[in-house]
Amino acid sequence: MALAQAAERLGYQRFWLAEHHGMPGIASAATSVLIGHVAGKTQTIRVGSGGIMLPNHSPLVIAEQFGTLDALYPGRIDLGLGRAPGSDLATARAMRRDPHEAGARFPADVQELQSYFLGDGPVRAVPGNGANVPIWILGSSLFGAQLAAQLGLPFAFASHFAPEALMQAIEIYRTRFQPSAQLDKPYVMLGFAAIAADSNDEAQLIASSLYQTFINLSMGRPARLQSPVADYLDQLSPIARAQLQQRLACSAIGSRDTVMKATRAFLDKTGADELMLTGHIFNITARLRSIEIMAEVHAALFADKAA
C-alpha cells in the first residue's frame, strides 16, 4: 500500500498486480481482492491486473468481479489478461482447471468476457454489464501479440523476464493490428525491471534480491524475496551469470544517470508507448526511493523530447 500511494503521489499512471499461485514470493493470488484494497486507499491512480490468468477462471466470474470494481472505483480499473496458469501444473490442477484445455480456449474466453461488458453475453453479468473496464492482452511470446492485434486491444509484453521474443512480438502486433471499438491504433506497454539508487554500488547491492529470485526460480526452488547479499554476482558460476544477464536484458539498474541512459536506450529501441516498472527490492525505503528516482528519470526524458 505504501508503494501504491507513493506511486500515485509521484504521478505514476497505473499500479498493477499479478496473479500467481503457490509462489511464496508473490502475495497476489487473490488479485481482484488486492485491486479493490489498493483502489480503496488511493484516489486517482488506475489499478489493475497484470494480469488475471483467464484459464484459471470463468469469464463470467471475472466480468462480475471487475464490473464490481468498476462500480466501486469508476474509471480507474484496468483488466490485463494472460493465457498462462500463473502456477505449476500441480497447482493448476488443484484449482480444478486443465491448463492445456483452458489455454486453448483463451481467445474464445477473452471474447466471451468482452461480451459481458458489452451487454450481449449469453447471460447478464451483474455487475459487469456495461462496465467501462479496458481489456489488455498480456504476453511473453508471439501468441499474445497475434491475439491482441486481431482483437484490436492494447498489448503488454513481459520483457522484464522474457526478453527473447520482444522485438518480434512488437513487430507482429503493430503490423497486424486491426482497429476496434476500444482502440484505433496499436498501443504497446513493456515490462521493465528498474532498480534505482543514489549510487551504482548501492543499486547493485539492492538488486541482489532480484538476482536471487531469478536464480532460485531457475533451480526450481521459488522462495520469498531475500535480503541483499554483497558481491552476490561474484558468487555465481559464469553460466549462471550469463543466464541472469540474458533474463535481465530489459532492465535498468544503477544510479539516476545510469538508469536514465538505459531507459532512454530501451525506449529508442522499442518505441514503447508506456513502461510498466517492476522492482524486486527487499527494503521498502529503498523501493520507494527507486520509484522516486524513476519518476525523475521519466520527467527528464520527456522534457528532452518536448524540447
Side-chain angles (χ1 to χ4, degrees):
M1 186 54 61
L3 185 66
Q5 291 173 338
E8 180 175 73
R9 184 176 66 253
L10 292 166
Y12 283 81
Q13 184 177 357
R14 308 178 200 278
F15 190 90
W16 279 10
L17 295 136
E19 177 189 345
H20 289 289
H21 301 276
M23 297 184 70
I26 300 177
S28 55
T31 315
S32 300
V33 175
L34 283 184
I35 289 172
H37 178 59
V38 171
K41 295 194 175 184
T42 52
Q43 301 296 321
T44 58
I45 195 168
R46 298 190 68 90
V47 189
S49 59
I52 290 293
M53 300 295 102
L54 196 54
N56 297 337
H57 310 278
S58 154
L60 174 60
V61 169
I62 297 304
E64 291 172 338
Q65 290 179 0
F66 279 77
T68 301
L69 289 167
D70 178 62
L72 293 170
Y73 310 105
R76 293 184 56 207
I77 303 300
D78 295 328
L79 175 52
L81 299 172
R83 182 174 62 129
S87 63
D88 56 44
L89 290 178
T91 306
R93 292 192 182 99
M95 292 188 289
R96 305 295 193 269
R97 307 292 285 178
D98 181 332
H100 301 296
E101 179 184 344
R105 290 200 312 267
F106 180 64
D109 282 351
V110 172
Q111 292 177 298
E112 182 183 338
L113 177 54
Q114 287 180 303
S115 73
Y116 293 124
F117 288 153
L118 293 171
D120 57 7
V123 299
R124 185 178 177 89
V126 183
N129 181 64
N132 179 28
V133 181
I135 291 178
W136 296 67
I137 298 297
L138 279 59
S140 57
S141 67
L142 305 183
F143 179 89
Q146 294 167 347
L147 182 62
Q150 177 185 341
L151 298 179
L153 296 175
F155 179 52
F157 189 82
S159 38
H160 58 295
F161 68 80
E164 294 83 4
L166 169 61
M167 298 308 296
Q168 188 178 2
I170 293 174
E171 177 68 17
I172 287 173
Y173 172 66
R174 287 175 173 154
T175 57
R176 300 185 186 180
F177 181 84
Q178 300 177 28
S180 68
Q182 179 175 329
L183 194 64
D184 62 353
K185 61 182 180 180
Y187 191 93
V188 174
M189 177 195 290
L190 300 179
F192 192 65
I195 295 181
D198 291 316
S199 71
N200 287 327
D201 288 344
E202 182 185 0
Q204 284 298 326
L205 175 61
I206 292 169
S208 63
S209 297
L210 172 61
Y211 302 155
Q212 292 175 77
T213 295
F214 280 143
I215 293 297
N216 286 336
L217 285 174
S218 71
M219 299 179 69
R221 55 182 195 197
R224 295 185 67 177
L225 187 64
Q226 300 296 299
S227 59
V229 173
D231 302 319
Y232 178 74
L233 291 178
D234 294 337
Q235 302 172 28
L236 299 178
S237 69
I239 292 176
R241 283 200 300 271
Q243 291 174 338
L244 189 60
Q245 184 177 15
Q246 182 180 23
R247 195 83 177 268
L248 290 171
C250 300
S251 65
I253 299 171
S255 66
R256 182 182 184 276
D257 289 344
T258 299
V259 296
M260 171 110 54
K261 181 178 179 181
T263 305
R264 180 186 286 115
F266 186 69
L267 288 171
D268 289 344
K269 177 183 178 182
T270 62
D273 298 292
E274 190 172 337
L275 297 184
M276 176 61 71
L277 303 183
T278 68
H280 289 64
I281 299 175
F282 185 81
N283 178 274
I284 185 60
T285 301
R287 186 177 292 204
L288 296 177
R289 177 59 180 148
S290 180
I291 68 164
E292 181 181 26
I293 292 171
M294 291 306 298
E296 296 170 359
V297 166
H298 175 273
L301 285 174
F302 285 87
D304 289 346
K305 287 190 175 183

